[in-house]
Amino acid sequence: MAVLPIRITGDPVLHTAARRVVDFDESLSTLVRDMEDTMAAAPGVGLAAPQVGVPLRLFVYNWRDEEGRLHRGTAINPELWISPPAVGELDEESESEGCLSIPGERFPLRRAARAILRATELDGSDYEITAEGWLARIFQHEYDHLDGLLYADRLAYPADRLMAKVIRKRSWGSPGLAWTPGIDHLED
């Protein structure tokens, strides 16, 4: 299919709640295939429709866990329930995450260890997944995109200040900025 440009923080579509999907048609199938190709090319483990400029409640995910099990799917009009996040110091290594809409950056963020995702697959079938660890983190991260939140919006001090500095330094934070995996090479 096609690799789509990924919007960079500051684009209004990333900071606005997305609309429910109502039409399960060929254009939705094409969007999902293009999002999967874009996610693979980036590379990433999840991608939400707002990240490619489409304000719909939809994300795709594709992640292989430590045991080699593949977790792959499409979440249309998802609902997400999470356990209370743990308290204490953040682990810079195990709790760092990144975002394709803030390319090349990683900062520690506390997420819930468990999540329950209820969603609809592209074929219209409903499903429920109970996730732990990184899969729960992926679901929370992508679900946030559907509510107009980026992980940068959830960062605590001092990471929030460092992220703001990076965004200013790279001249991000304004509408219309995007990058295309496989075409654009962003500086680290």
Side-chain angles (χ1 to χ4, degrees):
M1 293 273 87
V3 173
L4 304 172
I6 297 173
R7 304 296 173 98
I8 293 176
T9 185
D11 195 293
V13 73
L14 294 172
H15 305 283
T16 306
R19 300 183 315 266
R20 286 185 60 78
V21 173
V22 293
D23 297 321
F24 286 71
D25 55 14
E26 187 55 38
S27 66
L28 183 65
S29 296
T30 299
L31 174 62
V32 168
R33 287 191 301 269
D34 290 349
M35 287 174 60
E36 290 170 340
D37 290 347
T38 303
M39 177 178 57
V45 295
L47 185 68
Q51 291 181 275
V52 295
V54 180
L56 292 176
R57 297 191 73 77
L58 154 69
F59 67 81
V60 295
Y61 59 95
N62 187 337
W63 176 71
R64 190 171 298 279
D65 66 24
E66 307 79 38
E67 286 82 40
R69 290 182 305 241
L70 181 63
H71 303 273
R72 181 176 185 206
T74 303
I76 300 170
N77 298 326
E79 298 173 0
L80 189 70
W81 291 270
I82 60 173
S83 63
V87 295
E89 291 291 317
L90 284 167
D91 183 314
E92 295 271 340
E93 188 173 316
S94 69
E95 293 185 289
S96 284
E97 76 182 59
C99 179
L100 297 175
S101 291
I102 309 173
E105 301 302 323
R106 293 185 68 78
F107 285 93
L109 175 64
R110 176 68 39 88
R111 295 277 191 182
R114 292 178 48 101
I116 298 172
L117 174 72
R118 286 187 185 156
T120 302
E121 219 359 300
L122 189 56
D123 65 6
S125 62
D126 294 330
Y127 68 92
E128 180 176 302
I129 296 175
T130 300
E132 296 184 6
W134 273 101
L135 186 58
R137 178 178 291 273
I138 292 165
F139 289 164
Q140 291 167 78
H141 181 105
E142 300 310 327
Y143 189 85
D144 273 354
H145 278 298
L146 306 182
D147 287 337
L149 293 171
L150 276 70
Y151 89 105
D153 299 322
R154 295 193 179 273
L155 293 176
Y157 180 83
D160 62 339
R161 301 280 173 103
L162 294 170
M163 177 64 84
K165 184 177 179 180
V166 167
I167 290 170
R168 280 191 309 275
K169 179 182 176 190
R170 295 197 178 205
S171 300
W172 294 341
S174 58
L177 300 176
W179 70 284
T180 304
I183 295 174
D184 297 317
H185 302 283
L186 303 172
E187 295 178 21
D188 288 335

